[in-house]
Amino acid sequence: MDEQGMDEHGTCGHHAHEDRTQNAGTHGAHDHGACAHGPARAGDLVARAERLAQARGLQFTALRRRTLEVVAEEGRPLGAYDIAERLSVPGKRVAAVSVYRALDFLTEHGLVHRIASRNAFVPCEHGHGAGESAVFLICRRCGNVDETTSAEIERSLDRTLAQAGFKPASRIVEIEGECGACQGKAEAE
Amino acid sequence: MDEQGMDEHGTCGHHAHEDRTQNAGTHGAHDHGACAHGPARAGDLVARAERLAQARGLQFTALRRRTLEVVAEEGRPLGAYDIAERLSVPGKRVAAVSVYRALDFLTEHGLVHRIASRNAFVPCEHGHGAGESAVFLICRRCGNVDETTSAEIERSLDRTLAQAGFKPASRIVEIEGECGACQGKAEAE
DNA sequence: GTCCGGCCTGTTACAGTGTAACGCTCGGCG
DNA sequence: CGCCGAGCGTTACACTGTAACAGGCCGGAC
């Protein structure tokens, strides 16, 4: 039912949240090819989620969709409480616990990733399944997160795990440092 | 001061924590040499810390030493509040914030590691510097954490980072799954 | 139709994690 | 002596995450 009741605030209802995406105005500089973050991809991700839900018989509810939209539009890791705030409108608060449940769903189906070192969430930029592993490049300066994969890393990891007799279930690889764009900015200072 | 007041509960004061280091008796299968967890190594680590403090002119205070001892004796990831509890004696509470400061010191100098996916801390079982990276194998069943390194993983990671133009500062590699010992136990069930 | 079950969400409450800020003590130093 | 810096105690607070219960919606069984 509430499909249509959502749309009028799904993308803009949260009035002027004082723009903490301070990089928004300045980061057009870098070009390492994987930086198609942000709103442009949000629609794609939602579409993928809808296909996936249909295929697996899952309920892609309004809350889950709005949560995914918020995460996808940001392009930068968002905490659960940040998401809750963005989803809330005056008179209609969304509690963080609801967001956690939505995020559980989304991570379980590979639509968003959790950044363990930040306790925050980013949209999944690949079509990979939940089982496949990703490498997250987290920039200290601009806060952007880039997601890549590497068969080579995966292979060497597998080899190490096999040698240790360890059966992996999930893998976390998070690199913190400076992205290409911010290195350029650092030199300019 | 309280140097001597600590020892009587340092190793056994917290009554019977039901020995979850059950791999000690059964896991003779793997032999990569890095599985000497627990109390046996605690002294070594403290000795290493003392040498390091002397060499660098650092203050290895009583609180920092006791914190390191607690972490080293457990062999299993401990939360900051768990550590605070173990450090506290009736009438003399140690606040978590103090433990955090001690942990900051210890991690900064490579004596303990933080497990991001668990918000917990483990002793460093290698002599590697803070800059070098480690791979943590976290067992879902027994909770033990094994720390290894792999030049091969490091190399492939470096290659991927260079390719992305990303300058790494710190690396987090945490694999969750089942350790060799617990796989054996799973089959026995 | 009604009832019943599951799933999702709202709500409250609470435990755990982490940091900021202030003040104290202690030891070194001029 | 007073100054200063480091470490620590203390309070307060913000953020993270989960448990438990209640209500709504929907589909199937009767």
Side-chain angles (χ1 to χ4, degrees), chain A residues 22-84:
Chain A
Q22 76 296 4
N23 59 350
T26 54
H27 80 326
H30 66 293
D31 56 348
H32 58 290
C35 52
H37 306 291
R41 292 264 163 171
D44 294 3
L45 235 192
V46 172
R48 181 153 72 86
E50 265 157 4
R51 266 180 279 124
L52 186 144
Q54 185 136 24
R56 300 190 198 174
L58 305 171
Q59 298 190 42
F60 190 49
T61 64
L63 179 64
R64 291 170 179 176
R65 188 161 58 78
R66 289 161 55 200
T67 301
L68 180 58
E69 283 168 0
V70 167
V71 173
E73 283 162 6
E74 190 72 18
R76 195 173 58 89
L78 273 184
Y81 280 64
D82 292 331
I83 298 171

Side-chain angles (χ1 to χ4, degrees), chain A residues 105-122:
Chain A
F105 173 89
L106 296 172
T107 54
E108 198 170 324
H109 295 98
L111 296 164
V112 309
H113 291 295
R114 176 187 165 77
I115 306 295
S117 60
R118 297 286 180 105
N119 295 325
F121 300 82
V122 293

